[in-house]
Amino acid sequence: MRIKPNFIGIGGQKCASTWLSECLRSHPEVFMSSPKELKYFTDQESKGIDWYLGFFEKSSSYSCRGEFASNYIYNLASADKIKGALGNVKIIAVVREPVSRALSHIKHLIRDGEIPKMSGEITRTMLEQILQSHPQVLSNSHYLPGLTKFIETFGIQSIFIVNQSTCLSNGKSILGALWKFLEVDEISGMGLSDEIVSVGINPKFAMLERVRIIIFKLLKSNAPSVINWVKKIGLSSYYRRVNRGDSLVFCQDAADYIEQKCASDWYTTQLLLSIK
């Protein structure tokens, strides 16, 4: 019988899912897929379930096995697909205050060359122009439809929902609660729990950032432990200092627009958090 994952991270995007997944990878009882994001239930189903389960062939000695895809939360059909293929697995979700998430998303688009480089204030007009071609900057800050669907499918007791800001301010408490949720031993001295969640930058040198992305993707797929080593010795923090460009912020009108559009969703989402 093929080995199956027994937990799934569902996102969201730009919400510290990479930090959380690497903390999971560092636990001796937890097996994480390499690469982190298989996205089987949204993008790769044509490859077949055997392709997917092949990433977990060497996980038999681990009590917990999983993957973390940042887009499952936005695809309502993925909940039923996950349950149909894997059964009653545990679900981990990370959410983030909508305005800061949207700004991080825009920095990501700049980094990838999908929108022109900019600095200073993003005005309401500029934001609306960005949203015309990249509506997900706003829509990906709406977590409630996905969370509701996963709760209906797996039950609230099987879902761990955490706020990115709590990961930032109190990583140790988050991990302690997560180990209890997954029913693995609580471990101390995890360096990753003390690290600041990666802060998105508005890159000074776009080509250098693209090279970094290529290297990161290669390591994430083939040698994820090297990524942890790079973080531990401070190279990632040094890089962010070297390639940090001019600041990028929303003007108050643009921030208010995002906050207004996401207010109801964000209010209810916060009521669902596993750690208030």
Side-chain angles (χ1 to χ4, degrees):
M1 185 173 178
R2 301 296 298 273
I3 300 170
K4 297 181 179 181
N6 53 18
F7 75 87
I8 298 290
I10 63 172
Q13 292 179 343
K14 315 309 296 180
C15 294
S17 64
T18 297
W19 175 84
L20 195 56
S21 67
E22 292 309 312
C23 288
L24 285 162
R25 193 185 302 279
S26 297
H27 193 290
E29 295 178 65
V30 178
F31 178 93
M32 288 293 295
S33 66
S34 295
K36 163 204 165 191
E37 299 206 23
L38 301 178
K39 296 184 178 179
Y40 174 73
F41 298 101
T42 52
D43 303 334
Q44 305 290 352
E45 283 185 286
S46 62
K47 294 183 177 179
I49 192 65
D50 286 339
W51 172 86
Y52 176 70
L53 296 180
F55 289 95
F56 302 94
E57 284 181 343
K58 299 179 180 179
S59 66
S60 60
S61 62
Y62 295 82
S63 58
C64 284
R65 304 167 295 278
E67 60 146 326
F68 220 117
S70 61
N71 66 351
Y72 289 161
I73 194 172
Y74 307 114
N75 188 306
L76 301 189
S78 65
D80 288 331
K81 290 177 180 178
I82 290 169
K83 186 167 185 178
L86 306 178
N88 289 312
V89 296
K90 293 185 176 182
I91 303 295
I92 302 170
V94 195
V95 297
R96 183 177 182 179
E97 183 275 318
V99 177
S100 63
R101 199 219 68 83
L103 182 61
S104 182
H105 197 141
I106 289 173
K107 290 178 180 178
H108 188 99
L109 293 173
I110 294 171
R111 185 194 76 181
D112 287 354
E114 295 190 41
I115 60 176
K117 186 176 180 180
M118 61 181 73
S119 61
E121 282 196 337
I122 300 174
T123 66
R124 169 77 174 268
T125 300
M126 294 165 65
L127 173 62
E128 290 176 343
Q129 290 173 345
I130 292 170
L131 291 176
Q132 286 180 4
S133 55
H134 299 281
Q136 68 274 20
V137 167
L138 183 61
S139 64
N140 281 5
S141 289
H142 291 160
Y143 316 105
L144 191 58
L147 291 175
T148 300
K149 176 60 178 176
F150 274 89
I151 289 170
E152 290 173 351
T153 304
F154 293 94
I156 188 64
Q157 73 284 350
S158 296
I159 301 185
F160 183 87
I161 307 169
V162 64
N163 191 341
Q164 179 260 8
S165 66
T166 312
C167 295
L168 189 69
S169 64
N170 199 353
K172 289 182 178 178
S173 292
I174 292 296
L175 295 182
L178 183 57
W179 306 146
K180 290 180 182 178
F181 173 74
L182 292 175
E183 299 179 272
V184 296
D185 290 340
E186 185 167 350
I187 58 175
S188 59
M190 282 187 64
L192 286 172
S193 67
D194 298 322
E195 290 184 6
I196 296 175
V197 178
S198 295
V199 178
I201 63 171
N202 188 24
K204 184 188 299 183
F205 307 108
M207 185 56 69
L208 181 59
E209 178 65 6
R210 287 169 192 167
V211 170
R212 184 201 69 82
I213 293 168
I214 292 170
I215 294 172
F216 179 81
K217 287 180 178 179
L218 286 172
L219 291 175
K220 189 165 69 169
S221 298
N222 301 297
S225 61
V226 176
I227 296 174
N228 289 343
W229 176 79
V230 167
K231 290 179 179 179
K232 287 178 181 178
I233 66 173
L235 277 179
S236 57
S237 297
Y238 177 75
Y239 169 80
R240 286 194 292 271
R241 291 196 300 271
V242 169
N243 202 27
R244 186 183 300 277
D246 296 332
S247 64
L248 186 65
V249 297
F250 286 124
C251 75
Q252 192 59 54
D253 191 27
D256 289 345
Y257 177 79
I258 295 172
E259 189 171 320
Q260 180 183 9
K261 290 291 185 180
C262 299
S264 178
D265 184 286
W266 182 234
Y267 174 78
T268 307
T269 293
Q270 290 179 92
L271 298 178
L272 298 174
L273 293 173
S274 301
I275 300 177
K276 300 297 191 288

